[in-house]
Amino acid sequence: MSRRARRLIEWMGGVALGSLAASAMQAQTLRLPSEVLHDISKGRLENLRWTPNEVEAALKPLLQNVRTTDLPAEEEVALGLAYYFTFDGLSARPLFEKHMAREDRLGRVSWQSLQQMSFFGAKDYALVERRLKEYRRKFRPTLDDREYTYSMTNNLARNFASQGDHPRAVALILEDVQALPLGAPYRSFELLGVHFASFQAAGQVQVAIDWIKRHRDALRSAGPLSESAKAAAARTAINAADLRLPHRAGVIHVNFTTDLLYQDDPNITLDDTVQYARARTLAKFERWAAAAEKGEPITPS
């Protein structure tokens, strides 16, 4: 072999090694989807009034440095959520469809996210209603999924109400709350107040009031509330300190709108977060029940 040929081989080998080293360095700098999802969740919580365009402009750049290959299931779903919460449904959909057959929390949030996209994107309301029933059959209510079927039911009820079909909206809401443990702070119970106008239009005001009082009484009877839970319920805005928690490895913020970033604090347990939610929900339902008893309008917020 000539000296020139040997030099060419050595040069090509050097380029290959340099390329491998560059790829390794790039892999080291890529962030896990769960880490990026934490920052996206934080950004959304700090700017609740941002429009979709503002969310995309501010938070989509975070995804330029995210790892997208050779991911475990948890990180694939986190990647899907990162796309989803920055309004990139086309990138999120295949990741959720891949994991919707799962029986765990990853499967639940994949279903929930696909339902949102089917409603707002495809506007396939019949599919959303069918899958709402399938979701209930597939997944039982659990306290780590207080979102459960809230958004699915809320979307459909709002659509029926917009068409003047208030009885159907009411029936859908009652079907939802009847499927849930009465003394736990599932978000679906809030539909009684959010869609109180539909109960009025359908002539079922007393039905809504009775459910509001039943849920309030069950929350009262669920046990004493901690002082920290009471303090959380008294706040009128998200506590900034709750949003400054650093990301904790292994945490996937599947629903930051209900759980905030509490999962990143190793000192806060699931029972703590449920207590916080119960305190906030109880305070809201106390107001609703008091207003209803006086014949005053119910303010959903």
Side-chain angles (χ1 to χ4, degrees):
M1 182 183 296
S2 68
R3 182 180 299 177
R4 183 177 178 182
R6 284 198 300 270
R7 285 180 178 174
L8 180 60
I9 292 172
E10 289 172 357
W11 177 81
M12 292 176 63
V15 169
L17 288 173
S19 177
L20 288 171
S23 298
M25 288 179 64
Q26 184 182 25
Q28 289 176 355
T29 60
L30 291 177
R31 303 178 69 203
L32 285 172
S34 57
E35 297 171 337
V36 174
L37 179 59
H38 172 95
D39 292 340
I40 290 172
S41 302
K42 183 175 182 290
R44 293 289 303 269
L45 288 167
E46 288 176 334
N47 302 278
L48 294 172
R49 297 185 182 277
W50 270 353
T51 65
N53 287 340
E54 289 172 327
V55 169
E56 287 189 73
L59 301 178
K60 199 65 182 289
L62 294 173
L63 286 158
Q64 294 175 356
N65 194 34
V66 66
R67 181 176 155 194
T68 60
T69 59
D70 299 322
L71 296 169
E74 293 82 1
E75 292 294 340
E76 282 192 334
V77 172
L79 180 61
L81 288 167
Y83 288 134
Y84 173 76
F85 288 126
T86 53
F87 298 98
D88 185 355
L90 288 176
S91 298
R93 180 177 292 277
L95 293 165
F96 293 141
E97 288 177 339
K98 178 179 178 179
H99 294 288
M100 68 181 298
R102 297 176 66 99
E103 304 288 338
D104 58 7
R105 189 70 182 93
L106 301 179
R108 287 172 181 259
V109 75
S110 294
W111 270 76
Q112 291 163 340
S113 302
L114 286 168
Q115 284 283 74
Q116 286 289 90
M117 289 191 285
S118 295
F119 185 89
F120 289 105
K123 301 188 187 305
D124 192 340
Y125 306 135
L127 174 65
V128 173
E129 188 169 8
R130 175 170 60 80
R131 282 187 169 174
L132 165 61
K133 299 179 186 300
E134 291 175 5
Y135 185 91
R136 287 200 194 102
R137 288 195 295 268
K138 181 178 176 65
F139 300 107
R140 301 287 295 175
T142 59
L143 286 175
D144 64 347
D145 179 20
R146 288 177 291 105
E147 170 74 12
Y148 199 52
T149 49
Y150 168 82
S151 291
M152 307 178 206
T153 307
N154 182 39
N155 292 336
L156 290 169
R158 186 175 61 251
N159 186 53
F160 292 143
S162 70
Q163 300 170 10
D165 195 348
H166 296 285
R168 194 171 179 189
V170 166
L172 196 69
I173 292 167
L174 292 178
E175 182 179 310
D176 209 33
V177 297
Q178 288 165 359
L180 298 169
L182 194 58
Y186 288 95
R187 291 192 70 197
S188 285
F189 287 108
E190 297 184 20
L191 296 171
L192 298 164
V194 171
H195 293 279
F196 193 70
S198 284
F199 282 88
Q200 291 175 313
Q204 299 217 47
V205 170
Q206 194 57 50
V207 172
I209 292 173
D210 289 345
W211 270 100
I212 287 170
K213 290 181 178 178
R214 288 177 64 195
H215 187 47
R216 175 202 62 186
D217 294 344
L219 290 172
R220 284 176 177 172
S221 302
L225 291 166
S226 65
E227 292 304 316
S228 58
K230 293 177 184 176
R235 299 190 196 114
T236 57
I238 298 174
N239 186 6
D242 295 337
L243 303 185
R244 287 197 295 266
L245 290 165
H247 173 70
R248 184 158 63 112
V251 169
I252 310 294
H253 293 293
V254 297
N255 200 315
F256 61 82
T257 56
T258 55
D259 298 326
L260 301 182
L261 303 181
Y262 288 145
Q263 293 169 300
D264 287 313
D265 188 339
N267 297 313
I268 296 180
T269 65
L270 174 61
D271 181 63
D272 292 327
T273 61
V274 171
Q275 276 220 18
Y276 295 162
R278 184 159 63 90
R280 289 192 298 269
T281 306
L282 180 56
K284 180 180 293 187
F285 273 68
E286 295 278 16
R287 293 195 302 272
W288 288 0
E293 288 170 349
K294 297 175 183 177
E296 297 175 351
I298 289 177
T299 304
S301 60

